[in-house]
């Protein structure tokens, strides 16, 4: 993992463009058309009001409206979402500076819909809600952008490939209706925060300025409403900001699923290997000459949204967004770059998009678990970045992608460090280099004076620990980070390693063995007020009894017991002997586990650790200790 991380350090690049000068070089009438895709899948985990907000925020881009088309893909096929959008269409007309007033529609989904709703098979729905050729705002002045509600056909028997499937259907439908050369993909939990973003993008993607191989421009995922310490490290600074800077100096950043502008052509083969789609109307160079709501166009749009349409076509394998991984974004970007497309990372100081983050630990861990499964699927496929990727894109790009793909591999060292040193300590077995006995009970005193140490390994060990942590901390803090957030970041890395990564790896294995199947478990965006309050105060949210918490509690209990035992040992023997590093590691574990102890013992609110989970974990750690007792004793 260390070596793959070095690829990001070779040539980091940070870019700047000046969209204010764009109009001197490119007339507004020559601005290219833009198709904007918004994905939603579940009206109860993703409240339609939020999806509407996302759509309204992009409809209000500072851009010629007649060139703007917003397509909303509803994988839930829900009447509620459609209804919300019909209202939104009317609402949009009355209200252009909408950002301030959108509270008007802030209502809860109707109980009637809720009780009758199951996501199931549904037919195609294509509804033109606003037509840029006809619809004007309430004053009769401004044209409105196109707004299309779309729900592809779904059946129980045909795989729908989750979001990638939805995006491919959107690619085809938008191709038939407007076929803009530039496409923005956006998740429904992320809204536009800067009306001038499209002009910024033109500096990279308009015909006049685009480099021939440039395929997409990725904006970082940035989030609003993080608490001060960002306790769940939702910022994902390393993954979403630092790594892309590094890749930008190579062939460009990976695609992260949202906030990304594509040149439509990239979905039809490599820069010099064009793949002709099965019907000419879908070709990226096709000129749409019929009105968006003409019967012919609508019929064709229905045709390409059928659930069997993709059979025996290249969609998902060589064309469009790629199937085969739960992280369709990462995988698609990777395959596009292997085909020869370059990309650009654009991180303006005012965030172009802002998104929601889950505010409870269980949701976060489930999300990371899904990513782990998806990443490993790519890592161990025939298109693995380490083999296929390195050959197609060169060693550094291959390593960069491998660094993501094998992210979950951290679970093994993290789990080892969480359990092994403490178990060994409790069994009085030293596993690290020794420090020679000194009369002082303070470990620091002994590590500082070299004369007392008889093994250089001890220092190498301390050096590596402090070096790695120091570098990590510096990287973080120097890039608009704070020490407080860094601490959360390293803690979440341990938590993810011990939980999501581990469960993700297990899920992948059981999947290969045919024991389970995994799906795209949509992250809930519903905010409970009480939870929100606790989150804002920086308090961890547990609440549900989730297996994802079990290894975490096990480790926190074990480390506490081992640490206390170790300290007792020091005072009894008045020597540090063989166990200093083990005690240190246990102590570090304890420090990181503080929120867990609080949640298990001190808290009484709804977000505390459920007793059931605590008891299960305590029993399991007891069993693990017994096993270790027999194993370690027999090894010794
Ligand atoms: O069958 C599906 C499942 C999901 N979605 C949409 O996909 C988006 C992302 O889903 P979310 O639950 O928010 O997942 P996150 O883990 O927050 O998303 C990250 O990870 C995903 C891959 O796992 C990427 O697709 C996302 O862009 C990226 O932000 C949402 O708009 C969903 O509505 C669909 O359209 N159809
Ligand atoms: Mn999301």
């Amino acid at each position: 993992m260390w070596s793959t991380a070095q690829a990001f350090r070779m040539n980091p690049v940070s870019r700047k463009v000046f969209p204010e000068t764009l109009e001197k070089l490119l007339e507004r009438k020559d601005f290219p058309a833009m198709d904007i895709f918004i994905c939603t899948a579940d009206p109860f985990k993703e409240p339609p009001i939020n999806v509407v907000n996302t759509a309204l925020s992009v409809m209000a881009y500072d851009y010629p409206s007649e060139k703007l088309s917003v397509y909303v893909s509803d994988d839930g096929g829900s009447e509620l979402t459609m209804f919300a959008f019909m209202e939104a269409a009317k609402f949009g007309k009355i209200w252009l500076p909408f950002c301030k007033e959108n509270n008007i529609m802030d209502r809860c989904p109707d109980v009637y819909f809720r009780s009758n709703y199951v996501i199931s098979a549904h037919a195609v729905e294509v509804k033109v809600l606003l037509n840029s050729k006809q619809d004007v705002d309430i004053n009769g002045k401004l044209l409105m952008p196109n707004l299309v509600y779309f729900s592809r056909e779904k059946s129980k028997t045909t795989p729908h490939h989750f979001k990638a499937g939805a995006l491919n259907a959107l690619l085809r439908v938008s191709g038939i209706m407007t076929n803009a050369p530039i496409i923005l993909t956006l998740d429904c939990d992320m809204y536009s925060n800067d009306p001038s973003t499209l002009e910024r993008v033109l500096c990279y993607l308009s015909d006049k300025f685009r480099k021939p191989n440039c395929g997409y421009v990725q904006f970082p995922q940035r989030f609003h409403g993080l608490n001060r310490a960002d306790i769940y490290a939702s910022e994902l600074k390393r993954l979403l900001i630092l790594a892309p800077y590094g890749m930008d100096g190579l062939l460009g950043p990976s695609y992260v699923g949202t906030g990304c502008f594509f040149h439509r052509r990239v979905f039809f083969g490599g820069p010099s290997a064009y793949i002709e789609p099965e019907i000419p109307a879908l070709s990226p160079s096709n000129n749409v000459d019929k009105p968006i709501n003409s019967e012919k166009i609508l019929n064709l749009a229905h045709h390409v949204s059928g659930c069997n349409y993709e059979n025996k076509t290249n969609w998902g394998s060589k064309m469009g967004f790629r199937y085969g991984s739960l992280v369709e974004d990462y995988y698609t970007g990777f395959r596009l770059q292997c085909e020869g497309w370059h990309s650009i990372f654009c991180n303006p100081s005012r965030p172009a998009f802002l998104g929601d983050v889950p505010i409870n630990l269980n949701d976060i861990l489930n999300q990371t678990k899904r990513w782990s499964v998806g990443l490993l699927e790519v890592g161990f496929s025939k298109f693995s970045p380490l083999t296929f990727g390195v050959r197609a894109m060169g060693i550094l790009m291959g390593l960069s992608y491998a660094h993501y793909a094998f992210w979950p591999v951290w679970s093994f060292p993290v789990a080892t460090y969480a359990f092994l040193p403490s178990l060994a300590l409790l069994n009085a077995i030293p596993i690290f280099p020794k420090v020679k006995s000194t009369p002082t009970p303070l470990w620091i005193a002994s590590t500082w004076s070299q004369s007392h140490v008889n093994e250089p390994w001890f220092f190498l060990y301390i050096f590596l620990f402090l070096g790695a942590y120091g570098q990590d901390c510096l990287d973080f803090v120097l890039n608009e980070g704070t020490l407080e957030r860094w601490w959360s970041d390293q803690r979440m890395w341990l938590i993810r390693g011990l939980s999501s990564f581990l469960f993700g790896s297990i899920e992948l294995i059981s999947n290969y063995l045919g024991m389970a199947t995994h799906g795209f478990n949509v992250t809930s965006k519903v905010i409970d007020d009480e939870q929100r309050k606790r989150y804002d105060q920086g308090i961890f949210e547990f609440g549900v009894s989730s297996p994802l918490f079990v290894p975490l509690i096990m480790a926190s209990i074990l480390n506490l017991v081992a640490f206390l035992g170790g300290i007792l040992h020091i005072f009894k023997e008045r020597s540090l002997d063989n166990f200093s590093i083990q005690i240190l590691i246990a102590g570090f574990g304890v420090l990181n586990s503080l929120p867990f102890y609080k949640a298990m013992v001190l808290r009484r609110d709804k977000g505390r650790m459920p007793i059931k989970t605590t008891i299960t974990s305590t029993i399991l750690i007891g069993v693990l200790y017994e096993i270790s007792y027999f194993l370690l004793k027999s090894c010794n």
Side-chain angles (χ1 to χ4, degrees):
M1 288 311 276
W2 178 84
S3 59
T4 52
Q6 302 317 304
F8 301 120
R9 299 187 184 278
M10 296 299 149
N11 185 24
V13 162
S14 154
R15 299 172 191 265
K16 203 170 170 141
V17 288
F18 302 93
E20 17 349 312
T21 57
L22 182 74
E23 280 184 49
K24 289 192 197 125
L25 302 165
L26 191 68
E27 283 187 58
R28 267 180 102 77
K29 69 171 177 36
D30 294 331
F31 280 11
M34 298 251 186
D35 286 346
I36 299 178
F37 299 170
I38 299 170
C39 287
T40 183
D42 182 330
F44 298 112
K45 284 182 170 177
E46 309 180 319
I49 179 69
N50 296 0
V51 191
V52 164
N53 272 336
T54 301
L56 287 172
S57 77
V58 293
M59 282 162 65
Y61 266 133
D62 212 353
Y63 204 76
S65 300
E66 68 280 9
K67 304 204 173 202
L68 217 54
S69 308
V70 179
Y71 293 85
V72 179
S73 152
D74 178 14
D75 259 355
S78 126
E79 281 171 44
L80 192 59
T81 308
M82 187 164 82
F83 177 71
F85 269 93
M86 287 157 78
E87 289 299 302
K90 290 185 223 152
F91 181 56
K93 286 188 186 178
I94 314 169
W95 179 60
L96 276 178
F98 57 83
C99 287
K100 285 169 206 144
E101 289 169 354
N102 53 12
N103 294 340
I104 302 168
M105 296 192 18
D106 211 353
R107 287 189 225 142
C108 277
D110 197 281
V111 182
Y112 169 79
F113 283 107
R114 192 179 286 272
S115 57
N116 282 302
Y117 187 75
V118 254
I119 295 187
S120 60
H122 51 80
V124 183
E125 183 75 70
V126 185
K127 258 201 159 61
V128 179
L129 301 176
L130 288 173
N131 181 340
S132 68
K133 296 265 164 13
Q134 303 164 356
D135 289 302
V136 282
D137 71 352
I138 192 139
N139 305 321
K141 279 192 204 139
L142 278 173
L143 277 177
M144 299 298 292
N146 292 318
L147 176 63
V148 178
Y149 171 87
F150 168 67
S151 179
R152 61 187 164 135
E153 185 186 13
K154 271 192 175 174
S155 93
K156 288 228 161 67
T157 49
T158 321
H160 57 78
H161 303 290
F162 311 106
K163 184 179 168 196
L167 286 170
N168 280 338
L170 275 170
L171 268 177
R172 295 192 294 271
V173 168
S174 69
I176 303 278
M177 298 177 92
T178 45
N179 211 24
I182 300 176
I183 289 164
L184 162 66
T185 61
L186 210 53
D187 287 347
C188 62
D189 54 6
M190 192 149 251
Y191 64 83
S192 153
N193 181 52
D194 183 352
S196 70
T197 298
L198 300 193
E199 283 163 1
R200 191 179 291 279
V201 168
L202 290 192
C203 301
Y204 297 113
L205 279 186
S206 66
D207 284 343
K208 193 159 176 185
F209 305 117
R210 189 173 81 97
K211 298 206 183 76
N213 287 351
C214 176
Y216 59 88
V217 177
Q218 176 68 62
F219 286 79
Q221 287 202 28
R222 296 178 62 176
F223 307 99
H224 60 107
L226 296 178
N227 58 18
R228 199 181 65 172
D230 187 13
I231 50 171
Y232 303 131
S234 307
E235 233 186 341
L236 291 169
K237 197 189 275 291
R238 218 155 280 106
L239 208 68
L240 294 176
I241 302 202
L242 300 185
Y245 274 135
M247 290 171 87
D248 203 7
L250 307 169
L251 298 182
S254 60
Y255 164 47
V256 296
T258 175
C260 187
F261 290 83
F262 289 95
H263 200 67
R264 187 181 282 268
R265 168 67 181 80
V266 303
F267 296 110
F268 302 85
S272 47
Y274 176 65
I275 300 175
E276 183 70 33
E278 57 296 335
I279 50 175
L282 291 176
S283 144
S285 55
N286 182 45
N287 233 334
V288 183
D289 50 6
K290 296 205 173 46
I292 182 170
N293 51 0
S294 68
E295 208 183 307
K296 195 154 176 232
I297 295 273
L298 287 178
N299 283 342
L300 201 51
H302 269 81
H303 172 63
V304 298
S305 323
C307 60
N308 291 316
Y309 177 81
E310 290 182 348
N311 292 350
K312 304 209 181 79
T313 66
N314 287 322
W315 289 99
S317 56
K318 294 187 185 137
M319 254 162 57
F321 294 82
R322 306 302 149 92
Y323 302 153
S325 164
L326 276 184
V327 284
E328 80 301 322
D329 45 355
Y330 164 85
Y331 184 49
T332 301
F334 168 65
R335 292 288 301 277
L336 292 180
Q337 294 207 308
C338 287
E339 288 170 5
W341 292 107
H342 294 193
S343 61
I344 278 170
F345 183 58
C346 187
N347 183 17
S349 51
R350 181 186 169 96
F353 303 98
L354 285 176
D356 292 332
V357 286
I359 57 165
N360 71 68
L361 191 62
N362 188 42
D363 282 353
I364 294 261
L365 292 177
N366 265 310
Q367 184 188 45
T368 317
K369 186 178 94 179
R370 159 159 44 82
W371 295 345
S372 304
V373 174
L375 290 169
L376 290 174
E377 278 175 321
V378 181
F380 292 114
S381 72
K382 68 173 179 194
F383 292 109
S384 174
L386 275 185
T387 51
F388 184 85
V390 166
R391 261 180 277 139
M393 301 184 285
I395 180 95
L396 288 179
M397 278 304 282
L399 285 179
S400 304
Y401 271 103
H403 186 76
Y404 286 95
F406 295 106
W407 199 36
V409 167
W410 279 120
S411 58
F412 296 101
V414 170
T416 309
Y417 271 90
F419 292 110
L420 191 63
S422 290
L423 285 174
L425 182 61
L426 285 177
N427 286 296
I429 297 172
I431 54 172
F432 286 104
K434 309 172 185 130
V435 189
K436 205 175 174 185
S437 279
T438 64
T440 150
L442 285 177
W443 68 273
I444 297 177
S446 66
T447 56
W448 285 154
S449 57
Q450 192 159 12
S451 57
H452 292 300
V453 176
N454 62 1
E455 276 197 57
W457 289 113
F458 178 81
F459 274 103
L460 182 67
Y461 198 83
I462 295 287
F463 170 76
L464 285 179
F465 179 85
L466 291 181
Y469 258 76
Q471 184 187 37
D472 186 70
C473 179
L474 265 182
D475 269 351
F476 193 95
V477 175
L478 291 181
N479 284 281
E480 298 168 42
T482 61
L483 275 177
E484 205 182 4
R485 285 194 171 188
W486 170 75
W487 178 254
S488 305
D489 186 79
Q490 67 79 32
R491 179 171 55 204
M492 270 314 286
W493 173 68
L494 296 173
I495 291 180
R496 287 192 166 99
L498 206 49
S499 176
S500 310
F501 294 168
L502 204 61
F503 280 91
S505 312
I506 294 170
E507 193 167 312
L508 187 86
I509 295 168
S510 55
N511 200 53
Y512 277 134
L513 299 178
M515 281 150 59
T517 48
H518 49 242
F520 192 121
N521 189 359
V522 178
T523 309
S524 172
K525 284 105 187 162
V526 183
I527 304 293
D528 171 288
D529 285 343
E530 265 184 59
Q531 268 186 33
R532 177 94 235 172
K533 219 156 119 197
R534 284 193 287 272
Y535 177 78
D536 289 340
Q537 293 168 346
I539 301 174
F540 270 67
E541 184 75 26
F542 301 95
V544 292
S545 67
S546 160
L548 285 162
F549 298 153
V550 170
L552 300 170
I553 309 177
M554 286 170 66
S556 63
I557 296 178
L558 176 69
N559 281 293
L560 182 64
V561 175
F563 180 68
L564 295 179
I567 297 290
L568 216 70
H569 170 84
I570 294 181
F571 279 105
K572 265 212 303 249
E573 312 279 320
R574 298 196 67 68
S575 107
L576 276 165
D577 272 9
N578 304 328
F579 295 111
S580 49
I581 294 186
Q582 273 157 279
I583 297 174
L584 257 176
I585 291 175
F588 190 65
V590 170
L591 214 55
N592 273 300
S593 303
L594 293 178
F596 287 86
Y597 306 135
K598 271 193 215 143
M600 281 187 282
V601 186
L602 299 179
R603 284 168 55 184
R604 288 287 164 267
D605 57 80
K606 275 201 190 130
R608 67 184 302 237
M609 188 69 77
I611 311 244
K612 201 176 123 200
T613 318
T614 310
I615 295 176
T616 317
S617 315
T618 314
I619 296 174
L620 284 177
I621 192 62
V623 173
L624 191 66
Y625 171 74
E626 290 298 325
I627 296 175
S628 77
Y629 177 79
F630 287 111
L631 282 182
L632 292 172
K633 277 278 144 51
S634 62
C635 290
N636 231 20

